[in-house]
Amino acid sequence: MDLKKILAGAVAAIAIASFAPAPASAEECKRGDLDSRYCDNDGDLIADTPTDPSEQVDPDTLIFAYTPTEDPSVYKKAWADFLTHLEEKTGKKAVFFPVQSNAAQIEAMRSGRLHIAGFNTGSNPLAVNCAGFSPFTIMAAEDGTFGYKMAIITYPGSGVEKIEDIKGKKMAFTSPTSNSGFKAPSAILKADFDMVAERDFEPVFSGKHDNSILGVANKDYPAAAIADKVMYRMIERDVIKPEQVKILYESQNFPTTGFGTAHNLKPELRAKIEEAFFTFDWEGTSLQEEFSRSGEAQFIDMNYKDFWNVIRKIDAANGVEYTCN
């Protein structure tokens, strides 16, 4: 299994069958790491809204997708009350679009089929640079604290008592675009433990965090790298029992899912969508029922340039380039 090829393939896959408008000329467009179809003349690292009104979109139906950390049916129900609020604020119909992979979610926005999204931590840079994603908010606790930790977990009796015991065994990752499910643990294992996939252990990809967590809980994998908050929500829902898993390693805090829009929405519509996020009352809603399990209670303002700085550094350590074709 060639991990560099897997990661390159995951990035390349999002460019398949995409419609691309003619790129702006170099004279009028600063880009940085952005794809050639986007400009970043204000230096905030995200794609500018097109200055030509004819290139701005104002769809009758807003399509929303949430990162596929677990079964999409769980989140279709969780987001129902928020989407009703979004409809009230924008005057438009809002539809939940279930996605099965990070690459599929990025491709949907890149091709113009997705207007509002929550992209997972590791996918945010790819979504920003390859799909014109423009994030502006994340979930936070009532006191304003936010984020999650990457955890490496095992099950009692696995024979894995410390990180070094993973050597010679299988270790589950989620997908190559996931921060906590692949990129952060790969960088940490190499830097802190001199352990490299294929040389020191056999990497396997489960596809999603819940698959990795269930795989460990059911003793299919002796170890897995996951986002801790997904595990805690699964425990709260009685999907797994806390005694089925144990944590071997926890990282520093990382920013959690970033929410935003496609870069080319009309500014008036974008403003209404932002208002919907920041005025949503969580109390007694389906969103509170699901995400209070991991401590979230509100949406707070954020900017990609600062909040995702540590993630871009992890990508750089892993040799990730934000190329889309």
Side-chain angles (χ1 to χ4, degrees):
M1 179 185 295
D2 190 326
L3 292 182
K4 288 186 177 179
K5 289 182 178 179
I6 289 174
L7 187 55
V11 175
I14 65 176
I16 297 173
S18 297
F19 169 77
S25 66
E27 291 75 22
E28 64 184 14
C29 182
K30 297 177 182 178
R31 292 194 180 90
D33 289 332
L34 295 178
D35 187 65
S36 61
R37 68 178 70 185
Y38 311 120
C39 294
D40 176 27
N41 290 320
D42 60 6
D44 63 359
L45 304 188
I46 60 177
D48 299 336
T49 302
T51 55
D52 185 347
S54 68
E55 295 179 4
Q56 299 171 4
V57 298
D58 187 19
D60 293 329
T61 299
L62 296 172
I63 308 300
F64 170 84
Y66 180 69
T67 180
T69 54
E70 298 181 64
D71 184 347
S73 65
V74 171
Y75 292 109
K76 183 176 182 179
K77 178 182 177 182
W79 286 95
D81 288 342
F82 173 82
L83 293 184
T84 297
H85 177 71
L86 180 66
E87 291 178 336
E88 293 170 355
K89 288 296 181 181
T90 62
K92 297 177 180 292
K93 183 179 180 181
V95 175
F96 184 89
F97 175 55
V99 290
Q100 299 297 330
S101 70
N102 298 319
Q105 187 183 18
I106 294 173
E107 168 56 25
M109 182 163 284
R110 183 174 166 90
S111 63
R113 294 180 285 111
L114 180 60
H115 309 120
I116 311 169
F119 283 98
N120 72 4
T121 304
S123 290
N124 257 261
L126 285 173
V128 165
N129 288 290
C130 294
F133 178 51
S134 180
F136 59 84
T137 185
I138 62 174
M139 290 181 177
E142 193 68 49
D143 63 2
T145 57
F146 63 88
Y148 73 96
K149 294 178 180 180
M150 181 277 293
I152 297 176
I153 61 173
T154 187
Y155 59 86
S158 66
V160 178
E161 299 298 328
K162 58 186 184 298
I163 293 295
E164 291 83 355
D165 293 337
I166 298 172
K167 287 185 177 181
K169 299 180 175 64
K170 288 184 178 181
M171 179 167 175
F173 298 101
T174 59
S175 69
T177 57
S178 173
N179 177 63
S180 56
F182 179 67
K183 293 190 286 188
S186 295
I188 289 169
L189 286 169
K190 182 178 180 180
D192 294 351
F193 299 96
D194 189 29
M195 289 175 59
V196 178
E198 296 178 339
R199 187 192 73 186
D200 298 303
F201 58 88
E202 180 184 351
V204 294
F205 287 90
S206 71
K208 294 186 294 184
H209 287 271
D210 60 341
N211 290 344
S212 289
I213 295 163
L214 285 169
V216 170
N218 293 322
K219 304 182 180 181
D220 296 324
Y221 309 131
I226 54 96
D228 66 342
K229 287 194 173 183
V230 177
M231 181 178 68
Y232 296 139
R233 290 199 297 268
M234 292 175 69
I235 290 172
E236 285 290 323
R237 291 200 307 269
D238 290 325
V239 178
I240 64 168
K241 301 295 183 184
E243 60 268 22
Q244 289 181 277
V245 294
K246 68 176 184 177
I247 295 175
L248 293 170
Y249 178 93
E250 283 187 304
S251 72
Q252 69 180 82
N253 261 30
F254 295 120
T256 186
T257 301
F259 296 90
T261 69
H263 79 294
N264 59 344
L265 296 187
K266 283 190 175 295
E268 299 84 357
L269 175 58
R270 159 87 173 206
K272 291 178 180 178
I273 293 169
E274 290 188 12
E275 182 185 3
F277 275 91
F278 295 133
T279 62
F280 182 68
D281 183 358
W282 287 54
E283 188 64 33
T285 67
S286 55
L287 205 63
Q288 182 190 49
E289 181 182 359
E290 175 60 31
F291 288 96
S292 64
R293 295 184 171 105
S294 50
E296 281 88 6
Q298 62 174 320
F299 292 106
I300 62 169
D301 184 47
M302 70 89 169
N303 71 81
Y304 169 77
K305 187 174 185 178
D306 295 333
F307 280 54
W308 258 259
N309 184 46
V310 65
I311 306 305
R312 294 192 299 273
K313 288 180 178 178
I314 289 172
D315 282 349
N318 283 326
V320 175
E321 296 181 357
Y322 306 130
T323 52
C324 314
N325 48 36

